[in-house]
Amino acid sequence: MAKEVYDVAIIGGGPAGMTAGIYAGRGHLRACILEGMSTGGQMFNTAVIENYPGYDSIDGPGLTQAMEEQVRKWDVDILYKHVTGLKRQTDVFEVELLGGEAVQAKTVILASGSKPRKLEVPGEAEYQGRGVSYCATCDGAFFRGKNVAVIGGGDSAVEESLYLTRFVNKVTIIHRRDQLRASKHLQERAFADPKIEFMWDSVVEAIEGQQTVEQLQVKNVKTGTVTSLPVDGVFIYIGMFPNTGFLQGIVELDQWGYVVAGEDTATSEPGIFAAGDIRAKELRQIVTAVADGAVAAMAAERYLSERGL
Ligand code: NAP
């Protein structure tokens, strides 16, 4: 691996990281993107994207490829390395990589995103993108006039159920207890909505269908009875995991593990910026991730020029 000190090391190659790369490259910063898997992040696994301006409809791999080609037009190194740690040395950051290697950089942009918690039941992986979704904002419009289930009882499950009522015929919220965790005002709205029904004390045991999802096997945890619920789609909202395990004690994280940073993407540690889903914020979408990526790269450039680095 090259021994050079990068101007900016971008951790994560999703839409936030790739946009940060484009802006850094255009700003003549020496930048690298460190990506443990393949570029695109959650976007890569999205079947159809209809809410990214400029594309009436594009699949996740297609938009990933378009962004990656744009990154590669600039002098940005894409290194397929898994980041395990981050340390500030005197005047540079050391980004530690799996296998003991490290990259040095004057600034760091955290863009390693988050991932949805999985139910881990039969059919979940098989039907992802064919009726199983973790994003109502992304996929809700594909279920116009259909019946769907939402799994979970937190703010996300209830908020996204309310959003889904714009399109679908009926939403059944399946929750493992008999009380929602969601905030009271969301609960009141959901209870008052004629399109939302509830299956209490219930867990999904299997997701079944032919080409796409057709039904769920749902077990009542109090009675043990298993019933078959016919649905065209299932939205799973049982929590997210921000990919911030390597950042404990490095930057301030909120109580859910997201990086605390405002719209300026500045974290609690000068020279470290946070962009995309990893950041504590309201709306996690490709468009908000790319916006963060641009802001973070410009902030890194300003940080370097103000210090003459
Ligand atoms: P959450 O609050 O952790 O809720 C997860 C829900 O999924 C809980 O109801 C939990 O059940 C259920 N669950 C967890 N594991 C499960 C499993 N294996 N099988 C079935 N159900 C399972 O997650 P979230 O809704 O994504 O919200 C995350 C945080 O972001 C929350 O603190 C929330 O307040 C915040 N948030 C805020 C807003 C807003 O203010 N507008 C919107 C979205 C999220 P139990 O209740 O039984 O534990």
Side-chain angles (χ1 to χ4, degrees), residues 73-129:
K73 277 178 48 185
W74 303 97
D75 187 22
V76 175
D77 296 341
I78 301 180
L79 308 172
Y80 293 97
K81 301 284 180 183
H82 184 80
V83 173
T84 55
L86 175 61
K87 278 199 306 234
R88 183 191 268 282
Q89 291 185 326
T90 321
D91 50 1
V92 293
F93 294 100
E94 186 154 289
V95 185
E96 297 163 340
L97 308 175
L98 195 67
E101 295 170 302
V103 158
Q104 291 194 321
K106 297 171 192 167
T107 63
V108 174
I109 295 176
L110 306 170
S112 48
S114 63
K115 51 179 176 286
R117 189 195 300 266
K118 301 283 168 82
L119 263 184
E120 287 170 13
V121 296
E124 182 180 22
E126 188 184 344
Y127 289 105
Q128 185 171 344

Side-chain angles (χ1 to χ4, degrees), residues 1-290:
M1 180 163 301
K3 292 273 183 245
E4 74 174 298
V5 176
Y6 286 98
D7 292 317
V8 55
I10 300 162
I11 302 177
M18 286 199 282
T19 307
I22 292 165
Y23 275 74
R26 284 170 58 85
H28 292 164
L29 300 184
R30 272 296 290 143
C32 66
I33 295 176
L34 297 155
E35 169 56 57
M37 304 278 282
S38 55
T39 55
Q42 285 194 70
M43 170 174 74
F44 186 84
N45 293 322
T46 306
V48 185
I49 297 162
E50 291 183 335
N51 56 1
Y52 190 75
Y55 294 91
D56 186 39
S57 177
I58 186 166
D59 59 20
L63 188 52
T64 299
Q65 191 184 343
M67 286 190 191
E68 188 179 321
E69 281 169 8
Q70 203 170 347
V71 174
R72 289 190 186 280
K73 277 178 48 185
W74 303 97
D75 187 22
V76 175
D77 296 341
I78 301 180
L79 308 172
Y80 293 97
K81 301 284 180 183
H82 184 80
V83 173
T84 55
L86 175 61
K87 278 199 306 234
R88 183 191 268 282
Q89 291 185 326
T90 321
D91 50 1
V92 293
F93 294 100
E94 186 154 289
V95 185
E96 297 163 340
L97 308 175
L98 195 67
E101 295 170 302
V103 158
Q104 291 194 321
K106 297 171 192 167
T107 63
V108 174
I109 295 176
L110 306 170
S112 48
S114 63
K115 51 179 176 286
R117 189 195 300 266
K118 301 283 168 82
L119 263 184
E120 287 170 13
V121 296
E124 182 180 22
E126 188 184 344
Y127 289 105
Q128 185 171 344
R130 295 191 291 137
V132 172
S133 172
Y134 302 88
C135 180
T137 316
C138 317
D139 298 329
F142 302 121
F143 295 87
R144 205 172 287 278
K146 307 269 173 116
N147 296 326
V148 299
V150 170
I151 318 300
D155 281 336
S156 298
V158 175
E159 198 163 75
E160 301 301 321
S161 296
L162 289 162
Y163 174 78
L164 284 166
T165 60
R166 298 178 193 190
F167 313 103
V168 304
N169 177 53
K170 187 172 79 173
V171 180
T172 304
I173 296 180
I174 301 173
H175 184 35
R176 63 184 177 182
R177 293 185 295 130
D178 62 359
Q179 279 187 346
L180 294 174
R181 179 181 291 278
S183 55
K184 287 283 179 272
H185 78 281
L186 283 174
Q187 293 194 27
E188 283 163 12
R189 286 179 56 204
F191 292 144
D193 196 307
K195 284 191 172 180
I196 298 181
E197 292 181 2
F198 291 86
M199 279 180 93
W200 301 109
D201 301 312
S202 297
V203 295
V204 173
E205 292 209 312
I207 300 169
E208 298 171 344
Q210 300 282 326
Q211 295 306 309
T212 57
V213 169
E214 292 176 4
Q215 76 255 345
L216 308 178
Q217 298 301 331
V218 185
K219 181 173 154 189
N220 184 299
V221 292
K222 287 198 169 150
T223 64
T225 313
V226 177
T227 50
S228 180
L229 179 75
V231 288
D232 304 290
V234 53
F235 290 83
I236 298 167
Y237 278 108
I238 58 170
M240 297 286 293
F241 290 122
N243 296 318
T244 52
F246 65 100
L247 293 171
Q248 298 285 341
I250 309 293
V251 291
E252 186 186 349
L253 305 177
D254 72 9
Q255 59 186 300
W256 302 295
Y258 291 96
V259 179
V260 175
E263 291 298 317
D264 63 359
T265 73
T267 70
S268 58
E269 179 68 23
I272 303 183
F273 306 90
D277 283 12
I278 197 174
R279 186 167 78 80
K281 60 172 174 173
E282 280 292 316
L283 183 64
R284 295 194 169 87
Q285 293 284 287
I286 300 170
V287 282
T288 59
V290 300

